Structure formats: C-alpha cells, structure tokens
Amino acid sequence: MKFITFALTITAALFAPITAQDEALKNMHLGMAGIQQAGNDPVLLAQLMQDLQNPEMMAEAKKMMDDPEFQKQMKKMSESGEFKDQMKKTMDIMKDPKEAAKMEAKFEHMQHVGEKKLKDGAAAAMEEAMSAMGNPEVMQDMAKMMNDPQFKAQLAKMTKDPSFQNYVSAMQDMMKDPSKKEKLEKASAAFKSQL
C-alpha cells in the first residue's frame, strides 16, 4: 500500500501544473537531498566534485541561485529551526580541530573511494564496448552514428564534460595492457574500414 501511495504521489507531482515557486522549492529540496546523499555515498560525492568542475553545470546552478523564487525559498529554509540546528552542529564540529580533521579525512577518503569506483565503472564500460565492437552489426551502427553531424556534436560536447575523463583514463590504462592494446587496435582498424 505504501508503494501505491508513493507511486500516486510521484505521478501527481510530475503532472501537476508547476509554478515558479514550486520549481524553486523542488530544485532546492533536490539539491539539498543530493548533497546529504553525497555525504554517505562515495561515488555520488566523487561525481558531485567532478560536476563542480563542469562550467555548464555551474552556470546552470548560478542561474538557479539567482532566481528570486529560489532565493526566497532558501531564505525561508534557512530560517527554520532544523536548518539552524544543523548549521550550529556543523559549526561546532568545525571549531574543534580534531573533529574538523576527522571530517576532512573522512571526506578525502570517501572522495578517493568514489573516484576509484567511478574509474572502475568506466573501465568496465570500456571493456564492454570493446567486446561489443567485435559484432559487425554494432560496428556498422557506430559508423552510421559517426557520419551523423548531430551525433558528432553530442560527442564533442561530451568530451568536454569532466566526468568523461574517467573513460579517457580507463582507455589509457587499457592501452598499457599489450593484449588489450592489440584488441583495441584491431577494433579501431575494423571501425575505420566501416567509415
């Protein structure tokens, strides 16, 4: 029954008319929930730190924060007792050098673990892509996509995304393994012959 109630609530929220104030409130809550979740999930934390390096994403965040409705909701939230209590707890922890050092060490460790998991995930995706490239139909589809100007534009945009560097790094690591390098070179030659 809880699932049905949850599903109906989500459906109603998705299709209800959204005012600027509703949108600002939703964005604020999603952002805060994401930050809280990142404090417990190393992969999400590492991704968040990479996202902070993305100029487009930061421009969107600035636009959202400059929105008067968003500012109004943030002011309202910052005046709540729960927010003030959480800020006080955080400030108290930061005043204690031992606690601050513990928090910083935890943060750095979580970020390191998250970065490794992101890199491992990218490596697994690259391995899967290499495997798929052995299929002639996949190679033909890839060749068609590479001839599509829209796809080329999307690819160019994607390569500028800081999170794409995980895939570049995974590819560089693969090239260090002679058998994987040979497999990649064969796949590359087969792909070029399709163009």
Side-chain angles (χ1 to χ4, degrees):
M1 186 64 170
K2 285 182 182 179
F3 175 75
I4 293 170
T5 304
F6 174 74
L8 289 172
T9 303
I10 293 299
T11 304
L14 288 173
F15 294 104
I18 297 177
T19 65
Q21 185 174 3
D22 291 337
E23 185 69 24
L25 186 60
K26 182 181 88 172
N27 288 340
M28 182 183 68
H29 284 294
L30 283 172
M32 296 305 279
I35 290 169
Q36 286 178 328
Q37 181 72 22
N40 298 313
D41 182 343
V43 173
L44 194 56
L45 176 64
Q47 185 63 56
L48 175 65
M49 296 308 290
Q50 286 180 1
D51 290 346
L52 291 173
Q53 303 301 315
N54 183 330
E56 286 181 24
M57 196 165 284
M58 294 311 298
E60 282 298 314
K62 182 176 180 348
K63 192 164 57 171
M64 181 181 71
M65 289 187 284
D66 289 344
D67 184 305
E69 284 298 328
F70 180 82
Q71 291 174 358
K72 183 175 156 184
Q73 292 298 325
M74 281 300 293
K75 185 175 189 301
K76 184 177 176 182
M77 185 186 76
S78 69
E79 292 170 350
S80 74
E82 183 181 353
F83 182 84
K84 288 179 180 180
D85 289 346
Q86 192 60 44
M87 287 303 294
K88 183 180 181 326
K89 286 179 189 175
T90 302
M91 296 307 288
D92 288 346
I93 288 171
M94 298 313 282
K95 286 178 187 175
D96 181 346
K98 287 182 184 177
E99 287 299 314
K102 255 177 29 182
M103 291 284 288
E104 186 172 344
K106 179 184 175 192
F107 175 84
E108 287 175 4
H109 174 73
M110 284 182 61
Q111 185 176 359
H112 176 74
V113 167
E115 286 170 352
K116 180 170 180 356
K117 286 183 177 182
L118 284 174
K119 187 175 180 179
D120 291 348
M126 294 304 295
E127 290 281 350
E128 190 176 324
M130 290 290 301
S131 178
M133 288 175 79
N135 181 337
E137 290 177 18
V138 171
M139 293 296 277
Q140 288 174 346
D141 288 343
M142 286 176 56
K144 285 178 190 172
M145 288 189 319
M146 289 306 292
N147 288 320
D148 178 5
Q150 235 180 346
F151 179 77
K152 284 182 180 179
Q154 286 177 320
L155 188 60
K157 183 178 178 183
M158 190 172 70
T159 60
K160 294 176 184 167
D161 185 329
S163 64
F164 187 75
Q165 293 309 308
N166 291 323
Y167 297 95
V168 172
S169 179
M171 182 66 75
Q172 289 169 340
D173 288 347
M174 287 175 72
M175 295 298 281
K176 293 175 186 173
D177 180 330
S179 65
K180 289 179 183 177
K181 182 177 181 178
E182 182 182 349
K183 189 176 177 182
L184 181 63
E185 287 170 347
K186 283 181 182 178
S188 178
F191 178 68
K192 286 178 183 175
S193 73
Q194 296 285 327
L195 293 177

